[in-house]
């Protein structure tokens, strides 16, 4: 009998993978996923250094503070709420068409609500009969926060960094060396 050689080779038998390989793969994947989730869920230091802000911010208002800083510092220096009375912040949030001569981009309602929570919690009361200040120079709270400081020019939110070198990071406690021991 003649045997005909075939060019077809029989496929090699598949080796069955060890259950240990599958177990190690699942463990490795779980560790990677768990580490990623832990990093995503851990509190991050936001651009704003809230531990160094004017007043300590409770954890339930941190998101509101972040929303405020993110929205306002995209165009200018975000001022601490303590600088203006509550009435000023209310009027600024309620009328986005008149924001110092600029029309604000659309801010979503939930963001406005969060900003209001933060601003109303840390701003000062407005006295009856007092005009509502919309400029730093008009604010009696700004003056109270800067006793004995003589300004060479009228202060604006842009000039804060001349004394508070980390104001862009929402840290108004850090002062330039010449102001560190000022009365």
């Amino acid at each position: 009998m003649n045997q005909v050689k075939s060019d077809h080779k029989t496929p090699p038998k598949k080796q069955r993978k060890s259950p240990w390989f599958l177990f190690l793969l699942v463990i490795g994947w779980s560790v990677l996923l768990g580490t990623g989730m832990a990093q995503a869920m851990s509190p991050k230091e936001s651009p704003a250094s809230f531990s160094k802000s004017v007043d300590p911010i409770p954890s339930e208002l941190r998101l509101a503070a972040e929303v405020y800083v993110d929205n306002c510092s995209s165009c200018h220096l975000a001022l601490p709420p303590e600088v203006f009375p509550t009435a000023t912040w209310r009027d600024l949030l309620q009328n986005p068409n008149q924001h110092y001569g600029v029309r604000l981009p659309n801010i979503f309602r939930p963001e406005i609500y969060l900003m209001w929570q933060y601003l109303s919690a840390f701003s000062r009361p407005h006295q009856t009969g007092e005009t509502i200040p919309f400029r730093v120079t008009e604010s009696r709270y700004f003056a109270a926060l800067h006793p004995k400081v003589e300004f060479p020019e009228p202060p604006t939110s842009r000039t804060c960094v001349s004394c508070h070198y980390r104001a862009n990071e929402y840290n108004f406690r850090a002062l330039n060396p010449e102001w560190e021991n000022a009365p």
Side-chain angles (χ1 to χ4, degrees):
M1 209 191 291
N2 286 339
Q3 288 186 339
V4 178
K5 281 191 171 180
S6 170
D7 286 340
H8 298 324
K9 294 184 179 178
T10 56
K13 286 187 177 180
K14 285 188 177 178
Q15 289 184 345
R16 192 169 168 214
K17 296 201 178 176
S18 165
W20 286 105
F21 175 77
L22 182 60
F23 177 73
L24 290 174
L25 184 66
V26 169
I27 293 296
W29 181 255
S30 297
V31 167
L32 285 173
L33 190 61
T35 304
M37 291 293 288
Q39 287 177 349
M41 301 298 286
S42 68
K44 295 177 183 165
E45 193 65 32
S46 68
S49 177
F50 294 121
S51 61
K52 306 266 195 244
S53 68
V54 176
D55 285 331
I57 300 171
S59 59
E60 62 270 10
L61 288 176
R62 291 239 172 164
L63 175 62
E66 287 180 30
V67 169
Y68 163 72
V69 171
D70 288 346
N71 274 282
C72 296
S73 67
S74 65
C75 296
H76 58 78
L77 185 68
L79 295 173
E82 295 86 350
V83 171
F84 287 124
T86 309
T88 301
W89 295 115
R90 182 195 62 234
D91 290 354
L92 287 171
L93 288 175
Q94 286 181 344
N95 194 356
N97 294 326
Q98 292 298 324
H99 189 79
Y100 301 103
V102 176
R103 185 180 187 336
L104 293 177
N106 290 335
I107 301 174
F108 297 112
R109 273 261 188 250
E111 289 179 331
I112 290 174
Y113 176 73
L114 285 170
M115 288 189 288
W116 175 246
Q117 281 184 314
Y118 171 62
L119 294 168
S120 63
F122 287 97
S123 57
R124 314 293 185 190
H126 179 253
Q127 290 186 344
T128 307
E130 178 185 30
T131 58
I132 298 173
F134 286 98
R135 302 277 181 211
V136 171
T137 54
E138 302 167 352
S139 172
R140 67 185 173 92
Y141 296 114
F142 179 80
L145 290 168
H146 297 84
K148 302 180 185 176
V149 176
E150 294 181 25
F151 295 99
E153 59 186 48
T156 66
S157 63
R158 286 185 215 107
T159 58
C160 293
V161 293
S162 65
C163 298
H164 305 274
Y165 72 98
R166 294 188 62 197
N168 289 329
E169 300 168 21
Y170 204 64
N171 178 345
F172 291 88
R173 291 199 185 276
L175 297 172
N176 292 348
E178 68 264 14
W179 289 102
E180 199 61 49
N181 295 318

